[in-house]
mmCIF file with all atom_site columns, all heavy atoms in Angstrom:
data_model
loop_
_atom_site.group_PDB
_atom_site.id
_atom_site.type_symbol
_atom_site.label_atom_id
_atom_site.label_alt_id
_atom_site.label_comp_id
_atom_site.label_asym_id
_atom_site.label_entity_id
_atom_site.label_seq_id
_atom_site.pdbx_PDB_ins_code
_atom_site.Cartn_x
_atom_site.Cartn_y
_atom_site.Cartn_z
_atom_site.occupancy
_atom_site.B_iso_or_equiv
_atom_site.pdbx_formal_charge
_atom_site.auth_seq_id
_atom_site.auth_comp_id
_atom_site.auth_asym_id
_atom_site.auth_atom_id
_atom_site.pdbx_PDB_model_num
ATOM 1   N N   . GLY A 1 764 ? 1.105   14.419 10.884 1.00 96.00 ? 983 GLY A N   1
ATOM 2   C CA  . GLY A 1 764 ? 2.542   14.235 11.010 1.00 96.00 ? 983 GLY A CA  1
ATOM 3   C C   . GLY A 1 764 ? 2.925   12.812 11.110 1.00 96.00 ? 983 GLY A C   1
ATOM 4   O O   . GLY A 1 764 ? 3.984   12.348 10.795 1.00 96.00 ? 983 GLY A O   1
ATOM 5   N N   . GLU A 1 765 ? 2.028   11.928 11.454 1.00 96.00 ? 984 GLU A N   1
ATOM 6   C CA  . GLU A 1 765 ? 2.262   10.454 11.609 1.00 96.00 ? 984 GLU A CA  1
ATOM 7   C C   . GLU A 1 765 ? 1.631   9.693  10.395 1.00 96.00 ? 984 GLU A C   1
ATOM 8   O O   . GLU A 1 765 ? 1.462   8.430  10.595 1.00 96.00 ? 984 GLU A O   1
ATOM 9   C CB  . GLU A 1 765 ? 1.803   10.035 12.944 1.00 96.00 ? 984 GLU A CB  1
ATOM 10  C CG  . GLU A 1 765 ? 2.606   10.652 14.117 1.00 96.00 ? 984 GLU A CG  1
ATOM 11  C CD  . GLU A 1 765 ? 1.893   10.348 15.426 1.00 96.00 ? 984 GLU A CD  1
ATOM 12  O OE1 . GLU A 1 765 ? 0.917   9.527  15.458 1.00 96.00 ? 984 GLU A OE1 1
ATOM 13  O OE2 . GLU A 1 765 ? 2.418   10.862 16.435 1.00 96.00 ? 984 GLU A OE2 1
ATOM 14  N N   . TYR A 1 766 ? 1.087   10.384 9.411  1.00 96.00 ? 985 TYR A N   1
ATOM 15  C CA  . TYR A 1 766 ? 0.493   9.855  8.328  1.00 96.00 ? 985 TYR A CA  1
ATOM 16  C C   . TYR A 1 766 ? -0.824  8.965  8.610  1.00 96.00 ? 985 TYR A C   1
ATOM 17  O O   . TYR A 1 766 ? -1.175  8.003  7.896  1.00 96.00 ? 985 TYR A O   1
ATOM 18  C CB  . TYR A 1 766 ? 1.508   8.816  7.472  1.00 96.00 ? 985 TYR A CB  1
ATOM 19  C CG  . TYR A 1 766 ? 2.888   9.392  7.464  1.00 96.00 ? 985 TYR A CG  1
ATOM 20  C CD1 . TYR A 1 766 ? 4.053   8.966  8.175  1.00 96.00 ? 985 TYR A CD1 1
ATOM 21  C CD2 . TYR A 1 766 ? 3.113   10.487 6.611  1.00 96.00 ? 985 TYR A CD2 1
ATOM 22  C CE1 . TYR A 1 766 ? 5.219   9.607  8.017  1.00 96.00 ? 985 TYR A CE1 1
ATOM 23  C CE2 . TYR A 1 766 ? 4.291   11.161 6.487  1.00 96.00 ? 985 TYR A CE2 1
ATOM 24  C CZ  . TYR A 1 766 ? 5.332   10.644 7.173  1.00 96.00 ? 985 TYR A CZ  1
ATOM 25  O OH  . TYR A 1 766 ? 6.618   11.225 7.121  1.00 96.00 ? 985 TYR A OH  1
ATOM 26  N N   . ARG A 1 767 ? -1.482  9.275  9.674  1.00 96.00 ? 986 ARG A N   1
ATOM 27  C CA  . ARG A 1 767 ? -2.724  8.642  10.072 1.00 96.00 ? 986 ARG A CA  1
ATOM 28  C C   . ARG A 1 767 ? -3.894  9.504  9.459  1.00 96.00 ? 986 ARG A C   1
ATOM 29  O O   . ARG A 1 767 ? -4.687  10.129 10.145 1.00 96.00 ? 986 ARG A O   1
ATOM 30  C CB  . ARG A 1 767 ? -2.850  8.623  11.554 1.00 96.00 ? 986 ARG A CB  1
ATOM 31  C CG  . ARG A 1 767 ? -1.779  7.685  12.164 1.00 96.00 ? 986 ARG A CG  1
ATOM 32  C CD  . ARG A 1 767 ? -1.888  7.510  13.742 1.00 96.00 ? 986 ARG A CD  1
ATOM 33  N NE  . ARG A 1 767 ? -1.506  8.800  14.396 1.00 96.00 ? 986 ARG A NE  1
ATOM 34  C CZ  . ARG A 1 767 ? -2.374  9.683  14.964 1.00 96.00 ? 986 ARG A CZ  1
ATOM 35  N NH1 . ARG A 1 767 ? -3.707  9.489  14.889 1.00 96.00 ? 986 ARG A NH1 1
ATOM 36  N NH2 . ARG A 1 767 ? -1.787  10.758 15.551 1.00 96.00 ? 986 ARG A NH2 1
ATOM 37  N N   . PHE A 1 768 ? -4.114  9.372  8.180  1.00 97.00 ? 987 PHE A N   1
ATOM 38  C CA  . PHE A 1 768 ? -5.101  10.159 7.528  1.00 97.00 ? 987 PHE A CA  1
ATOM 39  C C   . PHE A 1 768 ? -6.580  9.750  7.873  1.00 97.00 ? 987 PHE A C   1
ATOM 40  O O   . PHE A 1 768 ? -7.476  10.663 7.932  1.00 97.00 ? 987 PHE A O   1
ATOM 41  C CB  . PHE A 1 768 ? -4.932  9.931  5.976  1.00 97.00 ? 987 PHE A CB  1
ATOM 42  C CG  . PHE A 1 768 ? -3.507  10.307 5.457  1.00 97.00 ? 987 PHE A CG  1
ATOM 43  C CD1 . PHE A 1 768 ? -2.736  9.224  4.927  1.00 97.00 ? 987 PHE A CD1 1
ATOM 44  C CD2 . PHE A 1 768 ? -2.963  11.404 5.704  1.00 97.00 ? 987 PHE A CD2 1
ATOM 45  C CE1 . PHE A 1 768 ? -1.532  9.403  4.555  1.00 97.00 ? 987 PHE A CE1 1
ATOM 46  C CE2 . PHE A 1 768 ? -1.595  11.712 5.308  1.00 97.00 ? 987 PHE A CE2 1
ATOM 47  C CZ  . PHE A 1 768 ? -0.902  10.603 4.742  1.00 97.00 ? 987 PHE A CZ  1
ATOM 48  N N   . GLN A 1 769 ? -6.850  8.456  8.286  1.00 96.00 ? 988 GLN A N   1
ATOM 49  C CA  . GLN A 1 769 ? -8.089  8.185  8.793  1.00 96.00 ? 988 GLN A CA  1
ATOM 50  C C   . GLN A 1 769 ? -8.292  8.821  10.065 1.00 96.00 ? 988 GLN A C   1
ATOM 51  O O   . GLN A 1 769 ? -9.497  9.278  10.379 1.00 96.00 ? 988 GLN A O   1
ATOM 52  C CB  . GLN A 1 769 ? -8.074  6.635  9.135  1.00 96.00 ? 988 GLN A CB  1
ATOM 53  C CG  . GLN A 1 769 ? -9.460  6.019  9.437  1.00 96.00 ? 988 GLN A CG  1
ATOM 54  C CD  . GLN A 1 769 ? -9.353  4.529  9.710  1.00 96.00 ? 988 GLN A CD  1
ATOM 55  O OE1 . GLN A 1 769 ? -8.453  4.206  10.475 1.00 96.00 ? 988 GLN A OE1 1
ATOM 56  N NE2 . GLN A 1 769 ? -10.242 3.702  9.196  1.00 96.00 ? 988 GLN A NE2 1
ATOM 57  N N   . ASP A 1 770 ? -7.309  9.230  10.857 1.00 96.00 ? 989 ASP A N   1
ATOM 58  C CA  . ASP A 1 770 ? -7.551  9.962  12.206 1.00 96.00 ? 989 ASP A CA  1
ATOM 59  C C   . ASP A 1 770 ? -7.622  11.440 11.849 1.00 96.00 ? 989 ASP A C   1
ATOM 60  O O   . ASP A 1 770 ? -7.793  12.200 12.843 1.00 96.00 ? 989 ASP A O   1
ATOM 61  C CB  . ASP A 1 770 ? -6.366  9.599  12.963 1.00 96.00 ? 989 ASP A CB  1
ATOM 62  C CG  . ASP A 1 770 ? -6.460  8.231  13.503 1.00 96.00 ? 989 ASP A CG  1
ATOM 63  O OD1 . ASP A 1 770 ? -7.517  7.557  13.492 1.00 96.00 ? 989 ASP A OD1 1
ATOM 64  O OD2 . ASP A 1 770 ? -5.334  7.645  14.048 1.00 96.00 ? 989 ASP A OD2 1
ATOM 65  N N   . VAL A 1 771 ? -7.482  11.870 10.622 1.00 97.00 ? 990 VAL A N   1
ATOM 66  C CA  . VAL A 1 771 ? -7.893  13.288 10.332 1.00 97.00 ? 990 VAL A CA  1
ATOM 67  C C   . VAL A 1 771 ? -9.438  13.325 9.943  1.00 97.00 ? 990 VAL A C   1
ATOM 68  O O   . VAL A 1 771 ? -10.289 13.942 10.597 1.00 97.00 ? 990 VAL A O   1
ATOM 69  C CB  . VAL A 1 771 ? -7.084  13.798 9.221  1.00 97.00 ? 990 VAL A CB  1
ATOM 70  C CG1 . VAL A 1 771 ? -7.557  15.286 8.784  1.00 97.00 ? 990 VAL A CG1 1
ATOM 71  C CG2 . VAL A 1 771 ? -5.671  13.906 9.567  1.00 97.00 ? 990 VAL A CG2 1
ATOM 72  N N   . VAL A 1 772 ? -9.689  12.513 8.980  1.00 96.00 ? 991 VAL A N   1
ATOM 73  C CA  . VAL A 1 772 ? -11.047 12.721 8.374  1.00 96.00 ? 991 VAL A CA  1
ATOM 74  C C   . VAL A 1 772 ? -12.184 12.202 9.265  1.00 96.00 ? 991 VAL A C   1
ATOM 75  O O   . VAL A 1 772 ? -13.347 12.873 9.301  1.00 96.00 ? 991 VAL A O   1
ATOM 76  C CB  . VAL A 1 772 ? -11.098 11.985 6.990  1.00 96.00 ? 991 VAL A CB  1
ATOM 77  C CG1 . VAL A 1 772 ? -11.073 10.431 7.157  1.00 96.00 ? 991 VAL A CG1 1
ATOM 78  C CG2 . VAL A 1 772 ? -12.355 12.405 6.232  1.00 96.00 ? 991 VAL A CG2 1
ATOM 79  N N   . ARG A 1 773 ? -11.979 11.222 9.934  1.00 96.00 ? 992 ARG A N   1
ATOM 80  C CA  . ARG A 1 773 ? -13.105 10.543 10.795 1.00 96.00 ? 992 ARG A CA  1
ATOM 81  C C   . ARG A 1 773 ? -13.474 11.502 11.973 1.00 96.00 ? 992 ARG A C   1
ATOM 82  O O   . ARG A 1 773 ? -14.599 11.817 12.188 1.00 96.00 ? 992 ARG A O   1
ATOM 83  C CB  . ARG A 1 773 ? -12.711 9.171  11.192 1.00 96.00 ? 992 ARG A CB  1
ATOM 84  C CG  . ARG A 1 773 ? -12.849 8.209  10.195 1.00 96.00 ? 992 ARG A CG  1
ATOM 85  C CD  . ARG A 1 773 ? -12.815 6.657  10.712 1.00 96.00 ? 992 ARG A CD  1
ATOM 86  N NE  . ARG A 1 773 ? -12.784 5.721  9.509  1.00 96.00 ? 992 ARG A NE  1
ATOM 87  C CZ  . ARG A 1 773 ? -14.005 5.309  8.958  1.00 96.00 ? 992 ARG A CZ  1
ATOM 88  N NH1 . ARG A 1 773 ? -15.154 5.722  9.465  1.00 96.00 ? 992 ARG A NH1 1
ATOM 89  N NH2 . ARG A 1 773 ? -13.927 4.434  7.947  1.00 96.00 ? 992 ARG A NH2 1
ATOM 90  N N   . PRO A 1 774 ? -12.508 12.050 12.781 1.00 97.00 ? 993 PRO A N   1
ATOM 91  C CA  . PRO A 1 774 ? -12.855 12.924 13.799 1.00 97.00 ? 993 PRO A CA  1
ATOM 92  C C   . PRO A 1 774 ? -13.446 14.219 13.254 1.00 97.00 ? 993 PRO A C   1
ATOM 93  O O   . PRO A 1 774 ? -14.294 14.944 13.851 1.00 97.00 ? 993 PRO A O   1
ATOM 94  C CB  . PRO A 1 774 ? -11.491 13.194 14.495 1.00 97.00 ? 993 PRO A CB  1
ATOM 95  C CG  . PRO A 1 774 ? -10.651 11.997 14.273 1.00 97.00 ? 993 PRO A CG  1
ATOM 96  C CD  . PRO A 1 774 ? -11.109 11.620 12.822 1.00 97.00 ? 993 PRO A CD  1
ATOM 97  N N   . VAL A 1 775 ? -12.905 14.684 12.129 1.00 97.00 ? 994 VAL A N   1
ATOM 98  C CA  . VAL A 1 775 ? -13.539 15.933 11.468 1.00 97.00 ? 994 VAL A CA  1
ATOM 99  C C   . VAL A 1 775 ? -14.903 15.766 10.968 1.00 97.00 ? 994 VAL A C   1
ATOM 100 O O   . VAL A 1 775 ? -15.843 16.614 11.324 1.00 97.00 ? 994 VAL A O   1
ATOM 101 C CB  . VAL A 1 775 ? -12.665 16.433 10.304 1.00 97.00 ? 994 VAL A CB  1
ATOM 102 C CG1 . VAL A 1 775 ? -13.285 17.544 9.580  1.00 97.00 ? 994 VAL A CG1 1
ATOM 103 C CG2 . VAL A 1 775 ? -11.289 16.870 10.886 1.00 97.00 ? 994 VAL A CG2 1
#
Side-chain angles (χ1 to χ4, degrees):
E984 297 169 5
Y985 315 112
R986 293 181 288 106
F987 309 116
Q988 190 183 45
D989 290 341
V990 174
V991 71
R992 289 191 179 275
V994 170

